[in-house]
Amino acid sequence: MLEKSRWKHAGLMGLVALLALVLTGCGLDGYQSTLAPDGPVADHQMDVFLVTLWVSVGIFVVVGSFLVYCLATFRFKGEVTEDTPLPDQGHGSALTEIALILISVGLVGVIAYPTILGIFYVGTLPQNDDALVIKVTGLQWWWKFEYPDQGVVTGNELAMPIGRPVKFELETADVIHSFWVPRLGGKKDLMPGQDNWLWLQVDAGMMDGARELPEDSPYQGHYYYGQCAEFCGESHAFMKFRVLALDDENFQKWVDHQKSEAREPSTMAEELGQQAFMKNQCATCHMISGVRGAQGLVGPDLTHVGSRVSLAAGIMENNLDNLIAWIHSPNYYKPGNVMYKAGYEAMNIQMSDDDVVNIAKYLHSLK
Ligand code: CUA
């Protein structure tokens, strides 16, 4: 009687586990899925993962089946009392043990071979292509991207030319962060006092997980999601970024666009917004190229902030309403952020609602 309810219980638990897996929508092709690689580095990493997975599944099935067979076949079937003797105790078979050791070593070899090849592949920049260099700096909680050869500096959104390897040089301004573009590969830590790097590439034929840029964007192409993958403080989960994947023509457009000066205000609200931006000390930390006095280097460069896909390091879509909400209450969206703590709070900045809306309209116009 007891036996039967136990089996029933186990069956129910199994069903619940299966349902949980299915109902959580365990999709394999999300925007941040590592199981759907969109570049050669991610593809190699996926291959290593699959070899390890299938070897493990094989071991699980063989060992599990053997265990279930033994439990079913060699079970003591009578009634257990105090007088029931222990079964015969043995010390196993030397031959079996040696065989199992050899099989285990062989399986480790099967996993180790592609892993070691993968380590060299990921750790070696393709030599015959001239790689683009992007310097990445992690800050609590946003990303600074610099293109030393192109003279471009931008925040929270970088662009990669399709089909060309990109070398990311990773640095941090404060604590340890981790640079991760799940669809393209990674991840690697940004460590204080250590020069880390990794390379990634987007291949034209593999871009299944890329989202299309908005139609009114100054350049056309697709973009990926990136994410900080190392706990770095209270807003770690809100430290995201976007990676544009552009063909050569659009990449050049992007570079030229980033290097151009900011648009002049063209409406009354934008004009007032620019004045409010200066009056409320925003320019102390933020750069707007071409605007006198707005040369701050502490926060993200805002010269073309209106043309970016996202706001506040990837946590919200870039539109006027979100921009107003973000400027109004940054600490609500990104607890502990420097703009709020060292700016609004420490400098006791009290912005009127009109100022907030006008600043948002001005920044939104900076396409
Ligand atoms: Cu930066 Cu987590």
Side-chain angles (χ1 to χ4, degrees), residues 102-367:
L102 290 179
I103 291 171
S104 303
V105 170
L107 288 176
V108 170
V110 170
I111 294 175
Y113 181 66
T115 304
I116 291 168
L117 288 185
I119 288 171
F120 280 101
Y121 181 77
V122 169
T124 313
L125 195 64
Q127 286 301 330
N128 40 359
D129 300 285
D130 72 315
L132 177 77
V133 174
I134 303 177
K135 193 177 138 198
V136 179
T137 308
L139 301 98
Q140 285 171 316
W141 291 274
W142 63 281
W143 303 84
K144 186 179 198 173
F145 301 117
E146 291 165 271
Y147 293 63
D149 297 334
Q150 283 73 22
V152 167
V153 180
T154 177
N156 302 321
E157 189 166 300
L158 65 91
M160 289 171 71
I162 293 168
R164 185 170 165 196
V166 177
K167 183 187 184 198
F168 293 95
E169 297 177 347
L170 309 173
E171 286 176 18
T172 174
D174 37 55
V175 299
I176 300 176
H177 303 275
S178 183
F179 181 82
W180 193 26
V181 191
R183 282 271 181 162
L184 301 181
K187 48 199 177 274
K188 184 147 294 178
D189 282 3
L190 290 66
M191 314 267 286
Q194 187 172 318
D195 296 330
N196 279 354
W197 67 275
L198 89 168
W199 72 274
L200 300 174
Q201 187 172 321
V202 181
D203 279 342
M206 300 180 76
M207 297 174 55
D208 300 324
R211 304 188 70 175
E212 207 161 330
L213 283 170
E215 267 180 27
D216 60 349
S217 173
Y219 23 79
Q220 286 308 303
H222 294 77
Y223 67 96
Y224 290 102
Y225 282 56
Q227 169 77 51
C228 177
E230 177 72 43
F231 181 73
C232 54
E234 57 195 312
S235 282
H236 149 72
F238 306 130
M239 188 175 165
K240 304 166 186 241
F241 58 101
R242 298 287 185 267
V243 177
L244 310 189
L246 307 175
D247 60 28
D248 287 346
E249 186 195 332
N250 279 286
F251 179 71
Q252 196 51 50
K253 266 191 202 170
W254 182 86
V255 169
D256 294 342
H257 182 67
Q258 296 302 316
K259 288 170 78 168
S260 64
E261 292 192 336
R263 282 202 346 202
E264 300 275 333
S266 60
T267 67
M268 194 56 175
E270 289 166 22
E271 184 69 50
L272 290 171
Q274 193 189 56
Q275 287 165 17
F277 185 86
M278 305 307 288
K279 187 183 78 192
N280 289 295
Q281 307 298 332
C282 309
T284 310
C285 296
H286 293 287
M287 161 88 76
I288 298 180
S289 176
V291 177
R292 267 189 66 185
Q295 309 293 317
L297 295 171
V298 177
D301 187 306
L302 300 178
T303 307
H304 300 290
V305 66
S307 68
R308 290 187 196 140
V309 181
S310 70
L311 287 177
I315 60 176
M316 36 171 68
E317 195 189 324
N318 189 0
N319 59 47
L320 187 59
D321 287 344
N322 284 343
L323 195 47
I324 292 171
W326 165 243
I327 296 170
H328 187 267
S329 1
N331 209 42
Y332 173 79
Y333 293 100
K334 192 174 276 190
N337 79 83
V338 173
M339 177 158 93
Y340 180 77
K341 278 202 325 204
Y344 291 32
E345 204 178 44
M347 287 153 71
N348 194 27
I349 291 168
Q350 311 273 347
M351 270 189 273
S352 69
D353 285 353
D354 280 351
D355 275 1
V356 170
V357 171
N358 287 334
I359 290 174
K361 282 183 175 165
Y362 169 57
L363 295 179
H364 191 64
S365 78
L366 299 180
K367 298 280 185 190

